[in-house]
Amino acid sequence: MRLRGEAVQVERASHRGVRLRNRSALLTRLFLEGPLTRQELSRRTGLSQPAVSNVVNDLIDDGIVAEAGALESEGGRPSTILRVAPSYGAVAGVDVGETGVRVELFDLGLERLAQSCAPLTAGASPADVADSVLAGLRTVATGHRVLGAGVGVAGIVQQRPEGALVHAQTLGWESVPLESLLRRGTDIPLHLDNGAKTLGQAEMWFGAGRGRRHAVFALIGSGVGAAVVTNGATYRGTSSSAGEWGHTTLMYGGRRCRCGASGCLEAYVGAAAILDRAGSSGAGDEETRLAALVAAASAGDPAARSILDETADYLGAGVADLINLFNPELVVLGGWAGVALAGLLPRVRASAARHALRQPFAQARIELGRLGLDAVALGAATLPMAHLLTTGGRRQ
């Protein structure tokens, strides 16, 4: 038999849970679809207008929601327009690439406030990478209230209560406690994920994938990865390693990949592999040398043109595998090398058409990402933002 005091506690806990869910639902709608009126929020969430008004008033009192003008109405009082308050705080997004670290700070409207970029030396240790990330965070955080930081990194990110581990075989990283290394130097709440998955999240929220339910987002940089979105959610697999598209076998017994296997897709379409196939060993970083290769091809250099045409054919075959396996409505090509190779898109599409099954290929669009070089960092910033929305705007 339940005592009266226990019943009251259960009722209060239930009430708090309902209120938290309502706060989260309203904030999420405002962030992703706003600005909106109270009436629009009621229609889109299914909550009653009194419930919406009560929760919205609390959110305004807390400072996370602000009024943004009024909407003219046909008779009666104008409807107040609401939005998530950009000045409530800031979130940071970190893109840990193989050649550098990009740290960006955004307000809650995800307008960029500050940026820091620093190169990484080849073979940089986990400690060096952590130091570079922390230095970037200190630079962009000055003068701002940072609610959280997301970090997109190459490799498999294994989430654990004591901190995420990174398994990046191509970098020689095995069970690297990167989150713990970062926590030693900052009290900003941290969220780590694979860089391709953060790129995919950014494109789903703000870019080419907006409004789609089934899509694949390919990150092409020094290496190659992908994020698979099915029914609106990122597919992760048993230990979050799903999406290691770059290490699917393109050619049995083919070129040696940095992961140690032979014939991986990455060994043919990753920037490092393209430059190796082109015999490019000149001065400059990978981005500079790949840009020079693209420029040479555009200027009529037959050797450069041949390498890029071959790359487009390989990439199209890899995209066909994604289409055959996942039946997406959309495949998006992004990453810094993906941006540099944008001119290859027609040939990539033609190659995918040759290699994919006709029916799923006819249902799929192959497009370039819309967020450019900022996609991974912006996507990383959505990690603390998503946490804020889920918790109804409660700071960590």
Side-chain angles (χ1 to χ4, degrees):
M1 181 176 178
R2 180 175 290 168
L3 299 177
R4 178 174 175 79
E6 292 175 334
V8 170
Q9 288 178 348
V10 169
E11 183 178 352
R12 287 175 178 169
S14 176
H15 179 73
R16 285 195 298 269
V18 169
R19 200 161 186 82
L20 174 60
R21 287 194 296 273
N22 290 348
R23 284 177 66 104
S24 176
L26 293 173
L27 268 181
T28 301
R29 290 287 185 177
L30 279 175
F31 179 74
L32 294 177
E33 302 171 20
L36 298 169
T37 65
R38 287 173 173 82
Q39 292 78 9
E40 289 170 325
L41 282 170
S42 179
R43 286 195 298 269
R44 298 189 189 198
T45 61
L47 296 175
S48 69
Q49 290 201 24
V52 168
S53 291
N54 286 336
V55 174
V56 163
N57 289 341
D58 285 347
L59 292 170
I60 291 174
D61 289 342
D62 290 345
I64 194 170
V65 167
E67 295 182 349
L71 188 67
E72 293 287 340
S73 63
E74 297 180 2
R77 297 171 57 189
S79 298
T80 302
I81 301 172
L82 304 166
R83 65 176 298 187
V84 173
S87 60
Y88 181 75
V91 289
V94 183
D95 176 2
V96 180
E98 295 189 30
T99 59
V101 171
R102 178 192 297 261
V103 183
E104 300 188 358
L105 190 74
F106 303 89
D107 65 19
L108 295 199
L110 288 191
E111 293 292 328
R112 190 167 67 192
L113 301 172
Q115 175 180 303
S116 172
C117 298
L120 286 174
T121 57
S125 70
D128 291 336
V129 170
D131 286 344
S132 185
V133 171
L134 292 169
L137 285 174
R138 285 192 293 271
T139 298
V140 302
T142 301
H144 299 280
R145 181 174 62 190
V146 182
L147 305 178
V151 182
V153 63
I156 300 164
V157 179
Q158 180 185 358
Q159 304 293 345
R160 305 184 310 159
E162 59 270 35
L165 298 179
V166 178
H167 310 270
Q169 198 163 311
T170 57
L171 303 180
W173 288 19
E174 296 290 343
S175 301
V176 170
L178 184 60
E179 185 171 351
S180 295
L181 293 174
L182 293 172
R183 289 193 186 283
R184 294 173 188 172
T186 183
D187 57 2
I188 296 173
L190 297 171
H191 308 262
L192 274 68
D193 206 348
N194 169 267
K197 291 181 173 66
T198 69
L199 178 146
Q201 182 68 68
E203 291 284 356
M204 282 293 289
W205 278 16
F206 311 111
R210 192 175 176 90
R212 307 296 183 122
R213 301 295 294 170
H214 303 277
V216 181
F217 301 90
L219 187 156
I220 306 167
S222 299
V224 176
V228 179
V229 174
T230 178
N231 201 28
T234 300
Y235 177 70
R236 295 183 173 275
T238 301
S239 59
S240 202
S241 74
E244 288 295 330
W245 174 53
H247 301 290
T248 56
T249 302
L250 179 68
M251 189 175 299
Y252 179 77
R255 289 172 52 86
R256 187 78 167 172
C257 180
R258 299 182 304 163
C259 74
S262 297
C264 294
L265 178 69
E266 184 175 299
Y268 294 87
V269 304
I274 296 171
L275 294 170
D276 184 57
R277 286 170 36 235
S280 172
S281 57
D285 57 21
E286 285 184 353
E287 296 184 35
T288 301
R289 288 186 288 142
L290 185 60
L293 181 67
V294 171
S298 298
D301 184 321
R305 184 74 263 166
S306 176
I307 289 293
L308 293 186
D309 285 348
E310 188 179 56
T311 298
D313 291 342
Y314 288 141
L315 184 53
V319 169
D321 287 342
L322 294 173
I323 291 171
N324 290 345
L325 281 169
F326 299 109
N327 189 205
E329 52 189 315
L330 177 69
V331 177
V332 175
L333 305 180
W336 69 263
V339 171
L341 300 172
L344 302 181
L345 184 60
R347 188 164 181 131
V348 171
R349 286 174 174 152
S351 174
R354 292 194 303 272
H355 291 93
L357 294 170
R358 286 190 297 274
Q359 193 266 353
F361 178 80
Q363 297 176 326
R365 295 177 59 85
I366 303 170
E367 299 180 4
L368 296 173
R370 297 181 187 172
L371 301 178
L373 300 178
D374 290 332
V376 174
L378 177 61
T382 69
L383 300 178
M385 192 68 218
H387 180 86
L388 189 70
L389 297 176
T390 301
T391 57
R394 305 295 191 191
R395 295 192 184 95
Q396 291 172 274

